[in-house]
Amino acid sequence: MRLTDLLITGLATWRVSNMLVQEYGPFGMFVRVRELAGIGHDASGKPETWHENNVLACVYCTSVWVAPVMMRFPKFARVMAVSALAILVSKLGEK
């Protein structure tokens, strides 16, 4: 695996994992996925309660399962990597 492929896959894995674990998503899609997995939310859709053995409880745990998917679909991974970079640049600009 080339270094650029590793960076793209890593950024894409973080982006998708973060969406699944922490974001509301369009039409509450990610909240619904987490609720199906037994995770409770506050009024804004932020996760509040979960079981420690839940794969959607943290980005680290989720990334183990998301990474192979990103490796299998490199074009989708590129889109997610660009999204991740945009978010990181935005966060750096806030400081």
Side-chain angles (χ1 to χ4, degrees), residues 10-95:
L11 285 168
T13 298
W14 169 79
R15 180 68 186 111
V16 172
S17 298
N18 190 66
M19 286 190 308
L20 289 169
V21 172
Q22 298 179 354
E23 295 185 20
Y24 185 77
F27 309 109
M29 177 173 58
F30 301 128
V31 171
R32 285 192 213 126
V33 168
R34 289 191 300 268
E35 285 174 347
L36 288 171
I39 296 174
H41 299 84
D42 64 14
S44 69
K46 292 288 181 190
E48 278 188 320
T49 58
W50 57 85
H51 304 289
E52 290 182 20
N53 60 352
N54 192 314
V55 73
L56 293 175
C58 74
V59 174
Y60 302 142
C61 301
T62 306
S63 69
V64 172
W65 300 100
V66 170
V69 176
M70 293 302 105
M71 294 173 76
R72 176 68 178 94
F73 299 101
K75 289 182 182 179
F76 179 70
R78 281 198 168 106
V79 172
M80 292 294 103
V82 170
S83 174
L85 281 173
I87 291 168
L88 293 174
V89 168
S90 175
K91 295 282 184 189
L92 287 174
E94 292 174 359
K95 294 182 180 190

Side-chain angles (χ1 to χ4, degrees), residues 1-9 78:
M1 178 180 270
R2 295 177 304 176
L3 181 59
T4 54
D5 294 334
L6 180 65
L7 290 172
I8 289 169
T9 304
R78 281 198 168 106

